[in-house]
Amino acid sequence: MTAGREATDGAAGQGGAARPEDRLEKAVRAAEQALIEYEIAVETFRVEVENFSRLHHQKLGPMYARLDELDAEIAEALAARSGDPEDRRKADEARARVMPMPGVEELFHGWMDGDGLYPEAAAMLTDQSVRPPQRVRPSDEARKLYRELVRKSHPDLAQDDKERSRRDEFITRVNAAYARGDETVLRELSEEWAAGPVTEQRWPNKSEELYARLEWLSQRKELLTVVARELEEGAIGAMLRMAPDDPDQLLDEIAEQLLAQVTEREAELARLTS
């Protein structure tokens, strides 16, 4: 805290009215902290949505494929029994849903799909190691380390371009480690930040600069609100809301339901073809 700031605080403590700039500065600092907490919440949910989506595909994809194949075989068996052209049409449609259609993934030999490069392919091109998520939600310790790091190193706390650049690079590494749920790396990053240069926070003195800062924070919050809404309203986000306390367990429950459906379809197919 500067001597001028101390003098101001002293005058206020002696009964003098606080300057408008001081009240505005407090509002800016409060808004910054609120935005950081909001960003943490959005980012942690984004990681859960992404991990759930990947694990959903890895664990349940084969079951969905098996169900589609059984549906096609059942429709074909029904068409063979009835000889009805309408049943034949339905069987052809069911089989078409099973047959893979040429697309981006096939053209690029499994390196990418319509959404871009797979994480594994991107890692190969950048010489980075690939460790797919083992669970939807990182451990409690990883979440704690992540929140602490973001609160300390968030780019929004930078007061100049050089410091913002340093924080941007650091927070990118923090986000990547958290997405993998890597507690070891998060601890190393925490130590790295603690040992790094400590920059003195310099708060603007001019009211115009403070108002501009508040306006930027407001715009940033509006952008994050849009991102959060899209995540929540998406199919995966909706599924996560069904099990907010244990999303990993939800995958196991869905797998059990799909397995039961597979068993029912196999029994029906056996009846039709016996």
Side-chain angles (χ1 to χ4, degrees):
M1 184 179 292
T2 63
R5 179 72 180 275
E6 291 174 346
T8 301
D9 291 345
Q14 295 173 4
R19 295 184 306 159
E21 289 82 357
D22 294 334
R23 295 196 300 271
L24 188 56
E25 180 180 334
K26 291 181 179 179
V28 169
R29 296 179 67 175
E32 286 175 336
Q33 292 303 317
L35 180 64
I36 289 173
E37 294 298 324
Y38 189 43
E39 287 199 51
I40 289 173
V42 173
E43 177 64 15
T44 52
F45 187 60
R46 185 197 66 77
V47 166
E48 290 185 17
V49 168
E50 183 176 294
N51 286 354
F52 190 95
S53 179
R54 292 180 65 186
L55 291 173
H56 183 275
H57 178 71
Q58 292 169 4
K59 292 183 177 182
L60 307 183
M63 291 189 181
Y64 285 119
R66 177 58 177 159
L67 282 172
D68 286 342
E69 174 63 29
L70 287 169
D71 285 340
E73 292 182 13
I74 289 171
E76 289 168 344
L78 287 171
R81 277 195 170 194
S82 69
D84 190 326
E86 179 62 17
D87 288 341
R88 183 72 259 168
R89 183 188 66 79
K90 292 179 180 178
D92 291 340
E93 288 182 352
R95 177 55 61 188
R97 286 194 291 270
V98 176
M99 295 291 290
M101 296 183 65
V104 174
E105 181 178 353
E106 185 173 336
L107 292 173
F108 285 88
H109 308 289
W111 274 43
M112 67 185 298
D113 60 11
D115 296 325
L117 281 175
Y118 285 127
E120 292 78 4
M124 289 173 60
L125 295 176
T126 56
D127 295 326
Q128 295 177 356
S129 61
V130 177
R131 278 187 290 174
Q134 299 301 311
R135 53 189 297 182
V136 173
R137 177 177 296 161
S139 67
D140 291 341
E141 181 63 20
R143 298 175 78 192
K144 178 182 177 183
L145 288 167
Y146 172 73
R147 289 191 172 101
E148 291 176 351
L149 277 168
V150 173
R151 291 182 184 118
K152 293 175 182 176
S153 62
H154 200 284
D156 287 351
L157 296 176
Q159 297 301 309
D160 56 61
D161 292 340
K162 181 179 180 180
E163 175 64 9
R164 173 172 286 276
S165 178
R166 183 176 81 92
R167 288 172 177 261
D168 280 336
E169 185 274 336
F170 185 81
I171 209 72
T172 297
R173 293 157 60 199
V174 171
N175 287 339
Y178 178 71
R180 299 192 303 269
D182 196 326
E183 294 180 27
T184 300
V185 172
L186 287 171
R187 289 193 185 93
E188 293 173 353
L189 288 169
S190 183
E191 294 173 0
E192 177 183 330
W193 184 261
V198 179
T199 57
E200 180 182 357
Q201 293 182 343
R202 303 188 307 275
W203 300 103
N205 294 320
K206 297 180 181 179
S207 296
E208 292 80 7
E209 294 178 357
L210 291 168
Y211 278 118
R213 181 67 173 159
L214 279 176
E215 182 178 357
W216 183 89
L217 291 168
S218 176
Q219 293 173 351
R220 177 66 177 165
K221 185 176 184 298
E222 290 180 4
L223 176 62
L224 285 170
T225 299
V226 173
V227 173
R229 185 183 304 117
E230 291 177 350
L231 288 171
E232 292 173 352
E233 294 178 353
I236 297 298
M239 294 178 71
L240 281 172
R241 290 200 302 274
M242 295 170 57
D245 297 328
D246 192 357
D248 294 279
Q249 178 62 29
L250 178 60
L251 284 175
D252 295 334
E253 294 175 359
I254 295 174
E256 291 180 4
Q257 295 172 7
L258 291 176
L259 185 59
Q261 293 177 33
V262 167
T263 301
E264 292 175 0
R265 299 286 208 291
E266 289 176 338
E268 182 178 358
L269 180 61
R271 180 180 58 81
L272 290 171
T273 56
S274 58

